[in-house]
Amino acid sequence: MTNITNREPTLRDVIDKLDNLSGRVDNLSDRMDTLSTRVDNLSDRVDTLSTRMDHLSADSEKFNDRFSNYQQATQWVVQLAFTLIASATITVIVSTVFRR
C-alpha cells in the first residue's frame, strides 16, 4: 500500500507564516521610511542647488554687464587715441605747409 500523508497546516504553521509576513511588512515599512528620508534630503539638496543656480545666474548677468562696459570703454579709449594721433598728424602737416 501507498502511504500518502496529506498534512493540513496547523494553527502553529499559520501563526508562524503570519509572524514571518509581519516581520517582512515591518522591514518594508522601515525601508519606506528610509527612502522617504532620502527623498526629503534629495529634495532639500535640489532646492539648495536651485538657489545656487539663481545666484550664479545673477552673478553671470553682472559679469556680462561689467564686461560690456569694459569693452565699450576700451573702444572709446582706442577711438580717442586714433583721434589724438590724427589731429597731431594734421597739426604737424598744416604747420609745415604754412611755414613755407
Side-chain angles (χ1 to χ4, degrees):
M1 281 206 213
T2 308
N3 192 2
I4 299 176
T5 57
N6 190 3
R7 184 173 175 253
E8 293 289 326
T10 64
L11 186 57
R12 173 55 45 204
D13 293 336
V14 171
I15 291 173
D16 289 344
K17 287 187 178 190
L18 283 175
D19 286 342
N20 186 15
L21 284 175
S22 176
R24 285 181 165 180
V25 167
D26 289 342
N27 189 16
L28 185 59
S29 177
D30 291 342
R31 286 184 179 182
M32 291 296 291
D33 289 341
T34 301
L35 284 175
S36 177
T37 302
R38 286 182 177 180
V39 166
D40 289 342
N41 287 341
L42 284 175
S43 178
D44 292 341
R45 287 181 179 181
V46 166
D47 289 342
T48 301
L49 285 175
S50 177
T51 302
R52 286 183 180 178
M53 284 300 297
D54 290 342
H55 287 118
L56 184 60
S57 178
D59 289 346
S60 177
E61 287 180 25
K62 287 179 187 177
F63 175 78
N64 287 340
D65 289 342
R66 287 180 184 166
F67 183 76
S68 176
N69 291 341
Y70 173 77
Q71 187 179 18
Q72 198 172 28
T74 302
Q75 287 175 346
W76 290 344
V77 168
V78 168
Q79 287 176 353
L80 178 63
F82 279 120
T83 303
L84 290 174
I85 291 170
S87 64
T89 304
I90 290 172
T91 302
V92 168
I93 292 171
V94 167
S95 66
T96 304
V97 168
F98 283 124
R99 283 191 189 170
R100 287 187 184 185

